[in-house]
Amino acid sequence: GDTCASRKDFMISVTVLGEAAKKHVITRAGARPGDLIYVTGTLGDSAAGFELVRSAECGVRSKKPECRKLIEKHLNPVPRVGEGRKLALSGLASAMIDVSDGLSSDLGHLCEQSGVGAEVFAGRIPLSKELRSAKDLKRPPLEYAQSGGEDYELLFTSPVELEREIMSLRIRATVIGAITRKKGMRMVTEKGDIHPLFPGGYDHFRSGRRG
């Protein structure tokens, strides 16, 4: 839902409603153990852009190419409508959610609704060259991808045997992990170490501003 709060500022909230054919609706509740986890595009750019907009070194009028591209990702996000329609019409995705609150939080929502767990491989999370190369950021690139939010990419799952069919849709999607029977989320580092992955994205009910 669209949950907003402000201590002093005036706010206008607009909600758009629509309809969809029931057979084409992909919910958060269909993921099954063994399904692969995919994400479209790259993650973390918007959160990095948000930080750069507020920084003294860059700011919204920065002339640094990597800063400009990350800021643009934050100010003018492009929702993956075309990709979503392809997945809905194909019937290949078992569950789906958009990455609006951050990978760790939104994957957590999907796992909770599906009653499953997840294992994510850190080295497979897609990061843009701008995020990797930006020198004015306060945190490592992976942290923005893991808990940044507002990328509006699609996070979806699909049975492993349908991987070739998913690729045939010609959408830019990367396999980042797999759904597990064991509940809870885990991150596998590039060295092979396994750590718990806790939801760390945007929380609508947490006081204060993000960043």
Side-chain angles (χ1 to χ4, degrees):
D2 186 7
T3 308
C4 306
S6 175
R7 295 182 183 276
K8 59 180 181 179
D9 300 319
F10 180 71
M11 185 181 300
I12 298 176
S13 180
V14 179
T15 301
V16 178
L17 302 179
E19 296 181 349
K22 186 176 181 180
K23 65 179 180 179
H24 293 148
V25 173
I26 307 173
T27 71
R28 306 175 182 183
R32 296 293 178 263
D35 285 1
L36 296 179
I37 303 170
Y38 295 80
V39 68
T40 62
T42 58
L43 299 180
D45 294 336
S46 178
F50 176 70
E51 181 179 295
L52 293 173
V53 165
R54 303 170 68 196
S55 73
E57 292 79 9
C58 278
V60 72
R61 292 184 173 81
S62 172
K63 295 183 179 180
K64 298 180 181 180
E66 68 274 16
C67 289
R68 287 207 311 272
K69 289 187 177 181
L70 293 173
I71 290 170
E72 180 66 16
K73 282 287 192 75
H74 177 69
L75 296 179
N76 295 295
V78 179
R80 301 301 179 184
V81 177
E83 292 87 340
R85 287 183 59 82
K86 282 186 177 182
L87 288 165
L89 294 172
S90 72
L92 298 175
S94 52
M96 186 159 62
I97 187 173
D98 73 319
V99 184
S100 56
D101 295 337
L103 172 62
S104 58
S105 287
D106 290 316
L107 180 57
H109 297 323
L110 188 149
C111 287
E112 181 181 3
Q113 291 296 314
S114 295
V116 295
E119 195 167 78
V120 176
F121 294 92
R124 296 185 185 179
I125 296 175
L127 306 175
S128 69
K129 64 180 181 180
E130 290 81 19
L131 180 58
R132 291 180 183 274
S133 63
K135 302 185 185 307
D136 298 296
L137 298 174
K138 300 176 182 178
R139 295 179 287 163
L142 187 60
E143 289 191 21
Y144 295 93
Q146 184 175 310
S147 59
E150 295 192 345
D151 288 304
Y152 300 108
E153 297 292 349
L154 297 177
L155 176 70
F156 65 95
T157 60
S158 179
V160 64
E161 63 269 20
L162 298 180
E163 184 176 7
R164 181 173 295 181
E165 284 86 344
I166 290 289
M167 294 299 108
S168 72
L169 295 177
R170 298 186 181 277
I171 61 177
R172 186 184 175 190
T174 304
V175 176
I176 63 170
I179 295 296
T180 62
R181 192 174 304 279
K182 180 181 178 182
K183 293 186 179 181
M185 298 185 295
R186 292 158 292 283
M187 178 74 78
V188 182
T189 69
E190 294 188 74
K191 294 182 178 180
D193 299 324
I194 302 176
H195 303 288
L197 176 62
F198 298 108
Y202 185 68
D203 183 345
H204 297 271
F205 299 101
R206 184 173 57 209
S207 62
R209 293 192 175 192
R210 43 185 295 192

